[in-house]
Amino acid sequence: MATVDLKDVKKIYAGGVEAVKGVSIAIPDKALCVLVGPSGCGKSTLLRMIAGLESISAGAVSIDGKVVNAIGPTERDIAMVFQNYALYPHMKVYDNMAYGLRNRGTPKDEIDKRVRETAKTLELSALLDRRPRELSGGQRQRVAMGRAIVRNPKVFLFDEPLSNLDAKLRGQMRVEIKNLQRALGVTSVYVTHDQLEAMTLADQLVVMNAGLVEQIGDPLDIYEKPASTFVASFIGAPPMNLLALTRDGAGRMPAGSPEEMAAIGHGSAAGSTALASAAPMLTDGSLVPFAPQAAAILGFRPEDADVTHGAEAPDGALAIPAAVEAVEPVGAESFLYCAAAGTRIIVRVHGRATARPDDQLRVVVRAEKLHWFDEAGKRV
Amino acid sequence: MTESYPLRTFIAHAVLILGILIVAFPIYYTFVASTHSLQTILRPPLPLLPGDRFIENYSEALFGGVGRIGGVSVGTLLFNTTVMALGIAIGKICISILSAYAIVFFRFPLRMTFFWLIFVTLMLPVEVRILPTYKVMVDFGLIDTYAGLIVPIIASATATLLFRQFFLTIPGELVEAARVDGAGPFRFFKDILLPLSKTNIAALFVILFIYGWTQYLWPLLVTNRNDMNTIVIALRKMISFADADTEWHLVMVTCMLAIVPPILVVVLMQRWFVRGLVDTEK
Ligand SMILES: Nc1ncnc2c1ncn2[C@@H]1O[C@H](COP(=O)(O)OP(=O)(O)O)[C@@H](O)[C@H]1O
Ligand SMILES: [Mg+2]
């Protein structure tokens, strides 16, 4: 029913905080766009600017091709689901859902019809006469959804709507939101800091960091080809293993944790390596073949790695000597926490792990599964 | 808890009952006095049981009029005082809830200045500004009018601050949800803020009604005519220095009647109060 376009949108709060530093996103009609990023990266601010609850410092927000910068939230014809649901505590469920329609002057019988229909879809029919405090968390969440759906708006906006639910309910609601959104075909923007939620829900995934967009795309494309070390370590759990490379034959880099690696990717001066012409190697001195010229950081997903006790490196694979620190069996899979090249590597193996803590082994990754990032953390 | 300790229960009840007796005795004694003739009251000791002049005394006071205050009936006094107390309570609530609404939910120039101006008036009791206020009332010709009784004490910094504190506890998301739902400032106030403030309004109403009912200094100044007096002022006027000059039985009746409306307000509003507490949730 509507597209949403953000063109170089910026937000500078009164106190001088630049919360959003120029974001452009084109959300296609009927798509579910998920904004994901760590807390404080400006997701809510961006969403609230789309909603019209926050003024836009620079740039343009358009809904359905029409710039809405100067239009209030009511006229933008959007509906929002808030993190704490924001149900009107003194109104019954019915009135909570009907309120927006009443304010728009919808006829009474039309309101009644729509509220009851929506309540039926969301299985709220039996709760219409209750007040919010007589409902469980999950039911409140549904009412908040119902209040948005019943208005049949152009755009749905969700600000971490599931973060107050327990894990099981969150999983259920995630599926339900996805199905509802697809069934209703309403363009939606969904904010979350949970990468799993983001991956499973998104048609279009937007990874944000520090007020900027890191990457936009299909969730699996982003997973397979993260554009930066930040995205690589943010999307996927456990995160991608990141190892610093050095080309200085003798020199060894200080040990770096994945967080520090991500920080390197973020233009911080700490730990940047001098690029020499020699073959790149890991900080423990083991050589890394296949590395592109510009590569400064090597990354691979835990599930793309395997371990071997043998000394031979398989052809077309990188073998990194490592010491097992801990083994975490989860049932269907096990996680091996290994110390290698001055950092910690996580390897995910199927079923039971044969490795034991303190084993010396080699982590093996096929060349095509390796990701390369330059000194600034950008994908090579 | 109480079931298993009969002795403890007994003592607790005994203490409570004793407390009630001590508190209630003066009121009871006033009631007793209000049912005797003036002669009986003036001739000690005063009996401990009610007399036979209940109907005579009360109807004389309510409908006949009291001599020492120019024959004005206690009914008129009750009416005056009710108008004033209601005017003050309702007026204060309306004004303070609106000013708190403005201060909390709107961004306008000098917002904090206004807030502090209101706050500072807390430190200025009526007594401090009584002469200029009186002059203003005289100039406006408001002496001996209900407006003169009510208007000068209708603004309340305390109530404004109370409402402000309450409004500050209303989550921002709720305000935004209402905006998204198309509620303008007026609708938001009427549909969301007012219903949520029910409990606070009920509590404030009780407090402010009694505050208005017991006003003394201001009504004393601003009313001269006997038929515009409030009940507290009239009571004072009814009492003369000479015991024999004072119609004590009518004074007692007036006292009893003066207590009734505040009690009614407390009892009636208490129900609201409790319902408000049960119903709303922030
Ligand atoms: N009303 C505000 N005034 C000033 N700064 C704000 C305001 N709201 C948010 N911020 C700041 O803007 C940044 C982004 O906030 P937010 O959009 O809420 O992040 P997120 O939702 O991604 O966690 C944060 O640094 C936050 O402190
Ligand atoms: Mg947020």
Side-chain angles (χ1 to χ4, degrees):
Chain A
M1 271 171 280
T3 57
V4 176
D5 271 292
L6 308 183
K7 283 225 171 60
D8 205 22
V9 171
K10 290 184 187 162
K11 176 70 194 183
I12 300 162
Y13 278 112
V17 180
E18 196 173 359
V20 176
K21 304 171 182 165
V23 166
S24 301
I25 309 171
I27 304 169
D29 188 21
K30 296 190 171 59
L32 176 51
C33 169
V34 176
L35 305 179
V36 70
S39 176
C41 72
K43 311 175 296 285
S44 296
T45 305
L46 195 59
L47 191 77
R48 290 158 51 78
M49 282 195 281
I50 302 175
L53 294 169
E54 207 73 72
S55 67
I56 298 163
S57 307
V61 172
S62 336
I63 296 177
D64 230 359
K66 192 169 137 249
V67 176
V68 293
N69 282 29
I71 299 180
T74 315
E75 291 77 39
R76 290 190 192 189
D77 199 11
I78 48 103
M80 189 150 169
V81 177
F82 294 87
Q83 182 169 5
N84 297 309
Y85 318 137
L87 301 178
Y88 310 120
H90 58 292
M91 291 188 196
K92 294 183 171 159
V93 169
Y94 184 98
D95 298 308
N96 260 290
M97 286 164 69
Y99 189 60
L101 292 172
R102 283 192 194 129
N103 285 338
R104 262 152 240 257
T106 316
K108 255 207 164 63
D109 44 345
E110 167 81 13
I111 293 179
D112 192 64
K113 199 178 116 229
R114 275 161 75 170
V115 169
R116 286 184 196 286
E117 259 170 29
T118 310
K120 214 164 135 199
T121 345
L122 288 169
E123 291 162 32
L124 287 171
S125 300
L127 307 175
L128 284 177
D129 280 331
R130 299 237 194 127
R131 288 182 204 249
R133 71 182 163 76
E134 297 160 344
L135 302 175
S136 70
Q139 289 168 335
R140 285 181 208 190
Q141 217 285 324
R142 274 162 197 279
V143 177
M145 297 267 304
R147 187 167 65 177
I149 292 171
V150 78
R151 289 229 329 266
N152 194 15
K154 278 189 191 156
V155 182
F156 284 143
L157 304 173
F158 300 87
D159 193 352
E160 312 211 5
L162 304 183
S163 59
N164 284 338
L165 301 180
D166 60 57
K168 190 170 162 225
L169 210 50
R170 210 179 309 154
Q172 266 172 16
M173 283 309 291
R174 203 164 63 206
V175 176
E176 214 161 304
I177 289 182
K178 178 88 185 164
N179 291 342
L180 258 174
Q181 194 272 338
R182 198 170 287 156
L184 297 168
V186 175
T187 314
S188 307
V189 186
Y190 187 109
V191 163
T192 179
H193 64 262
D194 178 349
Q195 60 90 24
L196 177 67
E197 213 170 286
M199 287 293 290
T200 49
L201 278 174
D203 296 322
Q204 180 186 36
L205 185 59
V206 178
V207 185
M208 287 183 67
N209 183 32
L212 286 169
V213 169
E214 287 276 332
Q215 192 171 7
I216 302 183
D218 175 84
L220 285 178
D221 286 350
I222 291 182
Y223 185 81
E224 284 161 7
K225 284 196 164 60
S228 65
T229 47
F230 174 82
V231 178
S233 53
F234 193 79
I235 299 292
M240 183 180 281
N241 296 302
L242 295 173
L243 299 167
L245 298 178
T246 170
R247 284 164 200 265
D248 181 346
R252 295 191 170 194
M253 274 181 57
S257 65
E259 293 78 39
E260 283 166 318
M261 293 303 132
I264 294 172
H266 264 86
S268 93
S272 67
T273 343
L275 290 185
S277 56
M281 56 181 74
L282 293 172
T283 51
D284 64 356
S286 51
L287 279 177
V288 179
F290 339 110
Q293 203 27 249
I297 296 166
L298 154 73
F300 58 90
R301 297 266 176 213
E303 65 270 28
D304 290 336
D306 209 343
V307 289
T308 170
H309 287 83
E312 295 300 307
D315 266 354
L318 175 67
I320 306 163
V324 180
E325 287 183 326
V327 181
E328 220 178 57
V330 195
E333 60 202 13
S334 307
F335 295 106
L336 305 182
Y337 294 82
C338 310
T343 174
R344 165 174 281 178
I345 291 177
I346 304 174
V347 179
R348 183 189 218 157
V349 294
H350 280 292
R352 247 172 224 272
T354 50
R356 292 280 161 269
D358 294 330
D359 278 4
Q360 296 292 328
L361 41 66
R362 300 209 292 165
V363 174
V364 179
V365 194
R366 297 228 311 279
E368 68 269 24
K369 297 291 187 188
L370 294 172
H371 304 256
W372 306 101
F373 303 95
D374 66 14
E375 263 187 299
K378 293 278 161 265
R379 187 179 190 83
V380 179
Chain B
M1 177 192 91
T2 44
E3 305 292 311
S4 40
Y5 302 100
L7 183 66
R8 204 189 273 185
T9 313
F10 174 77
I11 294 174
H13 279 79
V15 169
L16 289 174
I17 289 169
L18 189 71
I20 290 174
L21 285 181
I22 292 172
V23 171
F25 185 73
I27 298 171
Y28 171 75
Y29 212 44
T30 309
F31 173 72
V32 168
S34 75
T35 58
H36 286 282
S37 68
L38 181 58
Q39 286 71 30
T40 324
I41 297 172
L42 288 179
R43 184 175 356 95
L46 183 68
L48 272 173
L49 290 175
D52 55 354
R53 295 187 51 89
F54 177 80
I55 301 199
E56 287 94 324
N57 285 356
Y58 278 78
S59 55
E60 185 187 348
L62 274 174
F63 309 112
V66 182
R68 278 199 51 89
I69 52 168
V72 173
S73 73
V74 178
T76 310
L77 297 177
L78 280 175
F79 179 77
N80 291 346
T81 321
T82 308
V83 169
M84 173 170 110
L86 278 181
I88 290 175
I90 295 172
K92 269 181 192 281
I93 287 173
C94 289
I95 291 177
S96 52
I97 202 170
L98 286 174
S99 30
Y101 181 47
I103 285 173
V104 175
F105 292 102
F106 294 86
R107 302 278 163 273
F108 51 90
L110 298 183
R111 191 171 66 99
M112 284 323 276
T113 314
F114 282 109
F115 171 69
W116 284 109
L117 277 178
I118 294 174
F119 191 76
V120 162
T121 62
L122 263 185
M123 292 148 207
L124 279 183
V126 178
E127 289 75 7
V128 175
R129 56 179 171 90
I130 206 148
L131 280 175
T133 313
Y134 186 76
K135 173 81 168 72
V136 172
M137 290 298 116
V138 172
D139 291 348
F140 277 129
L142 289 178
I143 303 296
D144 280 332
T145 60
Y146 290 126
L149 277 170
I150 295 167
V151 172
I153 34 184
I154 206 171
S156 169
T158 324
T160 309
L161 289 177
L162 279 175
F163 278 121
R164 173 181 178 267
Q165 289 318 110
F166 170 65
F167 289 169
L168 287 178
T169 67
I170 290 182
E173 279 193 355
L174 200 64
V175 183
E176 292 176 346
R179 275 179 74 192
V180 170
D181 260 349
F186 181 73
R187 284 227 177 100
F188 174 71
F189 182 73
K190 173 174 79 76
D191 294 340
I192 312 235
L193 221 44
L194 267 188
L196 288 179
S197 313
K198 249 183 353 200
T199 326
N200 291 48
I201 292 177
L204 264 178
F205 181 81
V206 172
I207 295 166
L208 293 177
F209 183 87
I210 292 169
Y211 166 86
W213 189 266
T214 53
Q215 276 301 301
Y216 181 74
L217 187 58
W218 183 248
L220 185 67
L221 279 176
V222 87
T223 60
N224 299 325
R225 292 201 339 248
N226 284 323
D227 64 342
M228 279 306 291
N229 277 165
T230 62
I231 202 157
V232 181
I233 306 303
L235 258 177
R236 174 67 197 80
K237 283 192 185 172
M238 280 183 205
I239 299 167
S240 152
F241 287 110
D243 251 359
D245 243 7
T246 309
E247 295 164 294
W248 280 112
H249 58 302
L250 297 185
V251 171
M252 294 303 151
V253 169
T254 313
C255 277
M256 288 314 295
L257 290 174
I259 305 173
V260 174
I263 290 180
L264 276 182
V265 165
V266 170
V267 170
L268 290 178
M269 292 311 267
Q270 198 180 23
R271 267 209 216 133
W272 260 75
F273 220 24
V274 174
R275 209 174 64 187
L277 286 177
V278 173
D279 267 4
T280 51
E281 167 217 43
K282 267 180 249 162

